[in-house]
Amino acid sequence: MNTLSYALLGLIARKPLSGYDLMRQMRERVGPLWPVGHSQIYPALAALERGGLARHNVVEQTERPDRKVYAATAAGRQALRAWIQAEASGRPLRDEFLLKTYSMWLLRGGEAQELIERERERRARSLAEYEGTLSRLRDEWKGEIDRGDSPLFASARVLEYAILHERDYLAWCAETLRLLGRGDPS
Amino acid sequence: MNTLSYALLGLIARKPLSGYDLMRQMRERVGPLWPVGHSQIYPALAALERGGLARHNVVEQTERPDRKVYAATAAGRQALRAWIQAEASGRPLRDEFLLKTYSMWLLRGGEAQELIERERERRARSLAEYEGTLSRLRDEWKGEIDRGDSPLFASARVLEYAILHERDYLAWCAETLRLLGRGDPS
DNA sequence: ACCCGCATGTAAGTCGTTACATGATTCT
DNA sequence: AGAATCATGTAACGACTTACATGCGGGT
């Protein structure tokens, strides 16, 4: 059982889904948090089923290929709870952009500023995207989203975190540009 | 050439180092950003040398095993600059704790609060650690650390980012606890 | 005609972690 | 005596990415 399996379990514990659905949900909702390709999903679902943590029904379709819709079993929900409460493994950030800034002293003239400016713009775009998703979620689930025991509350909190994180990145870029500007006025 | 190779190049572009030195520097300085085991380092250094991006001298020692001290070549620094300015690959966060909170609606009673409280404490500890490292760095390199073209400036900026990030995490935990407390008063 | 979305899979290759392997010196 | 630090490597395994593979229906 790896982290990916728990991510999938977390989704099918909310609502039964097919492998294809899971692929889209992982891309759209959990995407920035834990991206997965469909080639990982299908074997993982088979493994969950072998372990008794999920079960599937075949839904036959005439106009499209049949779907295998997976749902979490009681044992699956139990395993998910246990994983959540287990000691965190302390996985690292692995931030490629920061690793690049670590060597930005090699750049000349305004190259460092350009690099950071480009990143600032990318982050601003993804911030706007998260904010859009969150406000759509809020509009759609007005009452439920504030209840602490609701799946929607958890979704919203994760999005809030992503938003905080992007804001932070923007602030860091702005401050770095300011500091670079002082020492080296173009 | 993978990301790890550039991380190593970034270090030996600052100052020649052995594989063992690199292991420690990656653990102590770049650690939270891009952790590496020594088993990755030695083959990667050999590959850098095959590509002409680094070269090593053997430093013989009597009391300890001999060291292979690697330095970046001009081609190595050039490759590093090119990588820094290349399009970012947009690698993801892969945050296991957030993935867990995504399913926290499964928990009962105060379990969610306990989970977040534990994480808050862990983050507070690593914040203190980063702050300590940064203030030590500042004390040691007073003049150089503010010059935008200095390696120390880059190191400090990366640490600043890590600090911002931890503060953010703390704020998020506090807010989440507040929201959980309102809906479900123990 | 060609590409996109739906739908499910397998295979090959890279990256990263953990364990295996060796051997001297220094600290407890 | 046993553990930790210095110092360099190899091997096995697991996780992740990218490409291969198939096939129908709808849009341009």
Side-chain angles (χ1 to χ4, degrees):
Chain A
M1 288 292 296
N2 51 20
T3 310
L4 163 66
S5 310
Y6 292 109
L8 298 177
L9 256 184
L11 287 171
I12 59 175
R14 291 177 174 216
K15 176 173 119 176
L17 295 167
S18 71
Y20 193 82
D21 294 334
L22 281 163
M23 181 196 69
R24 280 187 309 183
Q25 297 239 340
M26 290 298 290
R27 210 198 308 137
E28 289 156 24
R29 301 197 183 187
V30 199
L33 218 77
W34 208 274
V36 200
H38 74 279
S39 60
Q40 271 182 287
I41 291 177
Y42 294 110
L45 284 173
L48 282 176
E49 195 155 38
R50 274 199 307 278
L53 307 180
R55 222 174 286 140
H56 83 269
N57 292 26
V58 175
V59 176
E60 289 178 32
Q61 300 185 125
T62 50
E63 305 280 294
R64 309 195 157 287
D66 295 351
R67 311 168 73 240
K68 290 189 182 177
V69 178
Y70 287 81
T73 61
R77 279 188 296 277
Q78 187 47 48
L80 188 53
R81 266 195 296 272
W83 170 71
I84 293 169
Q85 297 189 286
E87 229 6 81
S89 65
R91 290 272 182 111
L93 281 102
R94 287 258 154 87
D95 188 315
E96 192 173 327
F97 177 73
L98 282 178
L99 194 61
K100 287 183 175 186
T101 64
Y102 196 80
S103 295
M104 68 181 168
W105 54 275
L106 277 168
L107 303 179
R108 306 272 162 242
E111 289 174 341
Q113 278 96 332
E114 283 165 35
L115 177 75
I116 291 162
E117 185 54 40
R118 271 209 312 270
E119 184 69 12
R120 209 186 58 76
E121 281 159 19
R122 292 182 55 201
R123 295 290 174 163
R125 274 196 299 277
S126 68
L127 173 61
E129 217 179 284
Y130 291 139
E131 281 175 337
T133 308
L134 182 59
S135 71
R136 256 178 285 124
L137 212 66
R138 279 198 196 291
D139 287 349
E140 221 179 321
W141 305 87
K142 271 171 196 157
E144 206 178 335
I145 212 161
D146 295 318
R147 285 197 5 239
D149 58 347
S150 151
L152 268 301
F153 174 79
S155 295
R157 287 275 75 209
V158 167
L159 270 171
E160 289 281 11
Y161 177 80
I163 287 168
L164 259 178
H165 185 238
E166 296 301 328
R167 286 222 186 96
D168 233 22
Y169 228 117
L170 288 176
W172 181 89
C173 287
E175 174 68 3
T176 305
L177 283 171
R178 196 181 67 78
L179 290 170
L180 281 173
R182 284 199 317 189
D184 172 53
S186 59
Chain B
M1 289 289 297
N2 51 20
T3 310
L4 162 67
S5 310
Y6 291 109
L8 298 177
L9 256 183
L11 287 171
I12 60 177
R14 291 176 173 215
K15 177 172 119 175
L17 295 166
S18 70
Y20 193 82
D21 293 335
L22 280 163
M23 181 196 68
R24 280 187 309 182
Q25 297 239 340
M26 289 297 292
R27 209 196 312 137
E28 288 156 25
R29 301 195 183 189
V30 199
L33 218 77
W34 209 274
V36 200
H38 74 278
S39 61
Q40 272 180 287
I41 290 177
Y42 293 110
L45 284 172
L48 283 175
E49 195 155 40
R50 274 199 307 278
L53 306 180
R55 222 174 286 142
H56 83 268
N57 292 28
V58 175
V59 177
E60 288 176 33
Q61 299 185 127
T62 49
E63 306 280 294
R64 311 199 153 285
D66 295 351
R67 312 168 73 238
K68 291 188 181 178
V69 177
Y70 287 81
T73 62
R77 280 188 295 278
Q78 186 48 48
L80 188 54
R81 266 195 296 272
W83 170 72
I84 293 169
Q85 296 189 286
E87 226 10 79
S89 64
R91 290 274 181 109
L93 281 104
R94 288 260 152 86
D95 188 314
E96 193 173 326
F97 178 73
L98 281 178
L99 194 61
K100 287 183 175 185
T101 63
Y102 195 79
S103 296
M104 66 180 168
W105 54 275
L106 277 169
L107 303 180
R108 306 271 162 243
E111 288 174 341
Q113 277 98 329
E114 282 165 36
L115 178 75
I116 291 163
E117 186 54 39
R118 273 210 311 270
E119 184 68 11
R120 210 186 59 76
E121 281 159 20
R122 291 183 55 200
R123 295 289 174 164
R125 274 195 299 277
S126 69
L127 174 60
E129 218 179 283
Y130 290 138
E131 280 175 337
T133 308
L134 183 59
S135 71
R136 258 178 282 122
L137 212 65
R138 278 197 197 293
D139 287 348
E140 221 179 321
W141 303 88
K142 271 171 196 156
E144 207 179 334
I145 212 162
D146 295 320
R147 284 195 7 240
D149 59 346
S150 151
L152 268 301
F153 174 79
S155 295
R157 287 312 303 158
V158 168
L159 270 171
E160 289 281 12
Y161 177 79
I163 288 167
L164 260 177
H165 185 238
E166 297 301 327
R167 287 223 185 94
D168 238 18
Y169 229 111
L170 288 177
W172 181 89
C173 288
E175 175 67 2
T176 305
L177 283 171
R178 196 182 66 79
L179 289 170
L180 281 173
R182 283 200 318 187
D184 173 52
S186 60

